[in-house]
Amino acid sequence: MTLRPDTETTTEPGAASATSGPPAPRNPLDRFFEITRRGSTIPAEIRGGVVTFVTMAYIVILNPIILSSGTDVAGENLGFAQVAAVTALTAGVMTILFGVVARLPFAFAAGLGINSFLAVSVVGQVTWAEAMGLVLVNGLIIVLLAATGLRRLIFEAVPMPLKLAITVGIGLFIAFIGFVDAGLVTATGASSPPVGLGVDGSVGTIPTVVFVVTLLLTGVLVARRVKGGILIGLLSGTVLAIVLEAVLDLGPKFGADGSVNPQGWGLSVPELPAQWVGLPDLSLVGQVSFGSFERIGVLAALMLVFTLVFTNFFDALGTMTGLSKEAGVADAKGEFPRLRSALVVEGVGAVAGGFTSSSSNTVFIESGSGIGEGARTGLANLVTGALFLLAMFLTPLTSVVPSEVAAAALVIVGALMMSQIREIDFGDFSVLLPVFLTVTVMPLTYSIANGIGAGFISWVIVRSLSGKAKEISPLLWVVAAGFVIYFARGPVEALLAG
């Protein structure tokens, strides 16, 4: 059931009627977060917050792996321990801030698309401090767009079928991430087919079997409407993984010496750490420089900022659209409570990520796991954020949950988000094709922004040439043109470099 959301002012979309609504709040905490109003309870919010953290905890390990692997133009690398500390710090602070300001259960952490872009493409041209300066500039631009209302205007210009398609596409995307993380879907190394099932076409590893068992167990619990079903599934899968590792000693898939163990665990080995507590090293906080504009030139630096803004802007927009629909807090137009505040805080996440050298922080699609567990308000974010702050001191413990177990929750949530497809009318092919492209391009290119861009461009072209040009917002034309530049940024960058 879709609940009618409350808003900041009476002019916001989805404002509730003064004469109707759910039962009156029971206490100040309930009133502030509108827990009863949204059909939730404090225990459900706590469970949802814990599930979201458990599903996202891998970022405290993965983000340092990605960022520390990039050697900048000066031959410097970021320290693994330092990146892990600022990753947890920034995720905790931004998740709590969003929960208090926007009062929605959307957790924050370092965005995987942008951190990979920084480590692979950006730091070959600039230093790490200068790269984080570009991230900070990107965040300031997004904050400005949100504060002036332009970002909301773009959000409102997106037609409802595309908003629903974004939700469905994200569902398939995170399910695909789950399949890949679990080792159920692997790269074949051939041009066709590019991916295949497990090892040589079969489920050939114990970690993948643990994923399958966790997925089926969680699926049964969710189907039977067991409270805490996703959390129970995650904990059960983790215990099973710890036991199997203790008995079989599978070890990691990738060794420190570059060796590969096909039977090993993907990201982290499920075993209790020897040391659980340690003081975080926050020395990367404030290590920011704007020297890139001088080092590589203003035009080249602005092109990098443009890429960051487009990726950040539309990844977050699509994610929040999908999560708000799944949480039942979106209105008939697909808008959700405190939209402008949410967009501003999301931009602040990029600023904070640049300032702390953890990379741009944004809304995580894994928040859907907490929503699937019952989270509907920002109270869940307080729980998730507090656990991230605690993770600064317990970094070794966050690696206990293997990625194969966390992947099961992603697939479950992907299935739940897929259900939104029933609200799309496929009778008009000028709607069907853009929706289809949006839904398929996201998982197949591993990018939310790419799927949104394909949908926007095809929507304005197909709809306008089908005699429906008057129905298209002029702003959507502008954004579609921007995506054309975004997709052609390689040749544009080469032209600028020449």
Side-chain angles (χ1 to χ4, degrees), residues 35-399:
I35 298 171
T36 301
R37 182 188 180 108
R38 295 186 186 173
S40 184
T41 63
I42 291 178
E45 296 298 309
I46 294 174
R47 285 198 309 272
V50 171
V51 166
T52 294
F53 172 77
V54 171
T55 310
M56 290 176 59
Y58 71 88
I59 195 63
V60 180
I61 304 298
L62 183 57
N63 195 44
I65 290 175
I66 293 173
L67 293 185
S68 64
S69 67
T71 302
D72 69 15
V73 71
E76 300 292 333
N77 297 82
L78 297 180
F80 186 96
Q82 292 92 328
V83 177
V86 294
T87 297
L89 171 66
T90 314
V93 171
M94 288 309 309
T95 297
I96 291 172
L97 178 64
F98 190 85
V100 171
V101 175
R103 304 178 200 175
L104 293 168
F106 305 168
F108 275 57
L112 291 177
I114 289 183
N115 62 8
S116 300
F117 176 63
L118 291 174
V120 174
S121 303
V122 177
V123 295
Q125 307 173 58
V126 300
T127 67
W128 269 112
E130 290 165 351
M132 292 305 168
L134 293 176
V135 173
L136 199 152
V137 171
N138 146 67
L140 291 174
I141 292 173
I142 292 176
V143 169
L144 180 63
L145 292 174
T148 57
L150 181 59
R151 196 174 185 188
R152 176 174 175 174
L153 289 176
I154 294 174
F155 182 88
E156 293 173 344
V158 179
M160 194 60 195
L162 283 185
K163 289 180 179 177
L164 293 169
I166 289 170
T167 303
V168 175
I170 290 174
L172 291 180
F173 179 38
I174 65 175
F176 190 49
I177 290 174
F179 289 137
V180 172
D181 287 351
L184 189 71
V185 173
T186 56
T188 62
S191 58
S192 181
V195 295
L197 176 68
V199 178
D200 297 326
S202 66
V203 181
T205 70
I206 295 299
T208 304
V209 171
V210 171
F211 159 77
V212 173
V213 172
T214 306
L215 174 64
L216 294 177
L217 172 62
T218 308
V220 170
L221 293 173
V222 172
R224 294 181 66 88
R225 302 182 184 275
V226 174
K227 289 185 178 181
I230 296 178
L231 179 57
I232 294 171
L234 287 171
L235 294 177
S236 301
T238 301
V239 171
L240 174 62
I242 291 173
V243 171
L244 289 173
E245 174 59 25
V247 173
L248 302 176
D249 192 23
L250 300 173
K253 180 177 291 186
F254 303 103
D257 58 355
S259 61
V260 178
N261 170 22
Q263 299 297 317
W265 302 93
L267 182 59
S268 58
V269 178
E271 54 188 6
L272 297 179
Q275 180 182 351
W276 291 33
V277 181
L279 291 176
D281 183 347
L282 302 177
S283 58
L284 288 178
V285 175
Q287 298 298 312
V288 180
S289 170
F290 300 103
S292 58
F293 291 90
E294 181 179 352
R295 183 184 298 274
I296 62 175
V298 174
L299 288 179
L302 287 178
M303 195 64 202
L304 291 175
V305 171
F306 175 81
T307 303
L308 289 170
V309 169
F310 247 73
T311 303
N312 219 143
F313 189 109
F314 288 101
D315 266 12
L317 197 63
T319 302
M320 287 194 282
T321 299
L323 292 176
S324 63
K325 288 291 294 181
E326 183 61 25
V329 295
D331 63 15
K333 297 180 180 179
E335 299 174 25
F336 51 87
R338 302 176 183 86
L339 176 57
R340 177 178 293 189
S341 297
L343 296 176
V344 169
V345 175
E346 198 280 327
V348 172
V351 175
F355 184 74
T356 60
S357 295
S358 63
S359 181
S360 177
N361 273 235
T362 187
V363 175
F364 251 53
I365 52 180
E366 282 85 348
S367 303
S369 60
I371 292 171
E373 192 57 58
R376 295 293 180 270
T377 78
L379 180 60
N381 265 33
L382 268 61
V383 175
T384 304
L387 291 173
F388 266 119
L389 294 179
L390 182 62
M392 286 195 301
F393 303 90
L394 301 171
T395 301
L397 193 59
T398 61
S399 63

